Amino acid sequence: MDHRTARPQRRGVRILLAAGAAAFTLTAGLATPLNPAPQQAEAKAASGNAAAKADSGKKKTLTVAVAQSVDSLSPFLATRLVSTSIHRLMYEYLTNYDPKDNHVIPGFATEWKPSADKLTWTYTIRSNSKWSDGQKATAHDAAFTFNKMMTDDAAATANGSFVGNFKKVTAPSDTKLVVELKKPQATMTSLDIPIVPEHIWKDVKDYSKFNNDKDFPIVGNGPYVVTGYKTDQYVKLKRNPDFWRKTKTPQFDNIVFKTYKDQDAAVAALRKGEVSFVAGSPALTPAQAASLKGEKDIKVNEGPGRRFYAIAVNPGWKTKSGKKFGDGNPALLDEKVRQALFRAVDTKTIVDKVFQGHAVRGQGYIPPRFQDYYWQPSGDQQLGYDPQAAGKMLDDAGYKMKDGKRVGKDGKPINLRMLCHATDPNDKAVGKYLKEWWGKIGIGLKLNCVDDVSVPWYAGEYDLAFDGWSVNPDPDFVLGIHTCAALPSKPKEVAQTDNGICDKTFDKLYNQQLAEYDPAKRADTVKKMESWLYDSGYMNVMAYPNAVEAYRTDQIKSVQTMPTAAGNIYGQDGYWSWWSAEPASASDSEDSDSSSSTGIVIGIVVAALIVIGGGVFFARRRRTTADERE
């Protein structure tokens, strides 16, 4: 699916430029450092200028057009990127990421310290945070959140992998949180878990069914408070005047995330000034970005993405107890068949023709933006595009051609079903190529494009699916979703797993990286996990799409990208974009020369590797497989 962020959501630094990177395209007028690009204001006039020229005394509203529906406003259940992005505005996390370079900084916790054996972590919780209903936010809220996830499977749906190794969590005082571990855990400064108010959530009876969307305003302690929600239509938030961070106060009084099933309609709304920002699904298509070229008062922001775009293969779903379910094609249980399929995928054509250069060819599971964890196959391991070799692999594995069709071990032609997102034009475009390429090796393909791929996905009722995740600075989450522990307890039950994968070798490597505090040694193990995923054929990463998004300069004067030097606005590891966004004034609108800076796409060969707290960028939840999980 397409996820979090995903997930998970989820997820010190210096910036370094190095030679030898891939080429990608940036748009003139790219959001600038410290105060980059923009987003929405109160769009009340089709001209788009009314908001910019509105009386300064009026409430300022920023409207974000998204092509993804909220899956849940409960942080225990939500995995889609839009949902986790909203949760970052609603709730505090123990730590946050610096917007300039992604190194870990204080959040709800101001300090943290491990014991000598690193099995006990003590966090100092800030004393100046309070819930939006006036009650004080304390370490007891954090302890409640973690303990609930440790004892209730439903509460662990979205982020359970973070607490799976927790032994005991206590709050000796309002400002002291103590976490005891079963074994060392390298993610203790990157626990991407929203902290909820105990006095609100302690009375929830069933965490699997509580979506946190009935009583408004929703009590939180983040920079914004959710005041309204309508399924598949909008989420409304207002600025939290009591938010502890006072170095800068959000300039937009309200934020509205508005859902558009049709991305072209969202782009049209941007032109009319009905929305301030368009995020895409998860990015604008090349045609949409090009169509905005030269448009007055519009700019396009493009930077290296934190996502991958992949094909996921049904591995034969089962529960944690081993009960099998689903109806995946049995031929896909053969590793040679999976590898042959991937050898018949021309990723260069996908990048050149579908993404039109606004992406980097895929290889390893983690995007090159995170250079410390970026892995590439070498030598004979590389499954480069070679349809003849793919056909031979199938022949050698016993899948012969008969009347132009590849036949399975049951004597029937191999015809595969592929889940795709109805709102993502890239899925449909790539699907046409896959039909052609796989047809050449005798395998049929039928696209099943639906609004919500999660239903057949979690039922295991598919053969292949378009998949994608937004990767965090720490890769643990996107690796943990492929472990046996992430499998559902019951058939067809929503779980932490991405694609139902369960393998002892992968699990062993996962546990090794989780317990390793040495950055270099941990990175080496992570790369071994990526190598296993590549060889297994369960995941074929085709591309790393750039983040391509657009906003109105007559509604938004500036906004923080992440990282500061060539980064994304939507779907950040933090709340910096919307927290920093400044409304445009009438003079800003009149003086802006957006018509020239909006649309000029400048081809820049970037060899930029931006080191992020031990990681690197090319130039930085849950499923719905192309909806973007964080």
Side-chain angles (χ1 to χ4, degrees), residues 151-231:
T151 58
D152 187 329
D153 286 343
T157 298
N159 299 301
S161 61
F162 288 116
V163 302
N165 182 46
F166 286 12
K167 180 180 180 180
K168 183 179 180 181
V169 180
T170 57
S173 70
D174 285 357
T175 58
K176 186 177 181 180
L177 176 73
V178 180
V179 179
E180 297 178 35
L181 304 173
K182 300 172 185 176
K183 59 185 178 182
Q185 181 170 327
T187 61
M188 294 307 290
T189 59
S190 55
L191 299 172
D192 291 330
I193 301 173
I195 304 301
V196 302
E198 179 180 9
H199 66 283
I200 299 295
W201 286 82
K202 67 180 180 180
D203 295 325
V204 174
K205 297 295 189 293
D206 188 345
Y207 277 66
S208 68
K209 297 179 180 179
F210 183 72
N211 283 312
N212 198 27
D213 58 2
K214 301 301 180 185
D215 298 320
F216 299 98
I218 297 175
V219 177
N221 65 337
Y224 281 84
V225 176
V226 172
T227 59
Y229 166 68
K230 193 164 185 178
T231 304

Side-chain angles (χ1 to χ4, degrees), residues 223-275:
Y224 281 84
V225 176
V226 172
T227 59
Y229 166 68
K230 193 164 185 178
T231 304
D232 295 334
Q233 294 190 36
Y234 62 77
V235 178
K236 296 180 179 180
L237 304 93
K238 70 175 181 179
R239 183 171 59 84
N240 181 3
D242 296 321
F243 183 55
W244 65 267
R245 191 182 292 276
K246 302 298 184 182
T247 55
K248 179 181 175 66
T249 301
Q251 299 300 298
F252 280 98
D253 301 288
N254 305 292
I255 300 176
V256 177
F257 287 85
K258 189 174 182 180
T259 303
Y260 285 83
K261 291 288 187 179
D262 185 318
Q263 191 164 296
D264 286 333
V267 172
L270 182 74
R271 283 197 178 90
K272 296 176 183 178
E274 294 171 353
V275 300

